[in-house]
Amino acid sequence: MGKDRVVVGITGGSGSILAVRLLENLTGVEKHLVMSENAKTVLGVEVGKTPEELRSHADFTYQDSDLTAPVSSGSFIFSSMVIIPCSMSTLAKISSGIADTLITRCASVALKERRKLILVPREMPLSTIALENMHRLSLSGAIIAPAMPGYYTNPRTADDMINFVVSRIMDLMGVENNLIKRWKQ
Ligand SMILES: Cc1cc2nc3c(=O)[nH]c(=O)nc-3n(C[C@H](O)[C@H](O)[C@H](O)COP(=O)(O)O)c2cc1C
């Protein structure tokens, strides 16, 4: 058996830096990356990076419009998919079964195949519609892991808060990491 495969989807929610930090720290797994068009815009606005710079941290990258990519099929085995950040728009699409992009298709596959799907929404406040979509997705097996840092680690910088969220996501993916000092450890 080769390395575990993970699919990282990046959408146009705020918080592209979370995806950058995740990709930089994910080691020991085969990384498959898909970015939505809006994710590319937000990445430029918030982090000042190009999609190409991010691609260098992945083993395979695909266009979000490419529904023929390997990850669009249930026959492509992956251990987890994380969408970070996950926009309310992508969240709504997945919760209603719309799979018209590679990211939403791959997420639908994860749900139907009962594989780990981790969604990292970033929105505040949350509308009733968004909450209902999250509820529905949670009932279907997705893990809703909002980009909410804890404060018990006494974060001093934005970096500390980013590391907190990314560390918890990596824990959920089952990938070892030492990004944060753990509570009483
Ligand atoms: C700078 C910027 C920040 C945004 N932040 C958020 C956000 O935090 N959450 C969200 O749901 N949408 C946010 N949006 C809006 C999404 O990008 C928009 O709904 C888009 O259609 C999402 O498409 P996608 O899910 O295909 O990437 C933001 C847009 C921009 C330009």
Side-chain angles (χ1 to χ4, degrees), residues 10-15 36-39 41-42 45-46 64 85-91 93 101 103 121-124:
I10 310 179
T11 67
S14 182
S36 75
E37 287 309 307
N38 296 300
T41 306
V42 177
V45 171
E46 293 188 345
D64 198 24
C86 183
S87 74
M88 294 305 105
S89 171
T90 291
L91 190 95
K93 280 188 178 183
T101 60
I103 292 176
R122 210 294 333 161
E123 186 73 305
M124 200 280 274

Side-chain angles (χ1 to χ4, degrees), residues 58-87:
D59 298 295
F60 299 88
T61 58
Y62 314 99
Q63 294 298 322
D64 198 24
S65 56
D66 183 9
L67 291 169
T68 68
V71 295
S72 70
S73 167
S75 63
F76 180 90
I77 307 297
F78 56 85
S79 55
S80 60
M81 176 183 194
V82 56
I83 305 184
I84 178 170
C86 183
S87 74

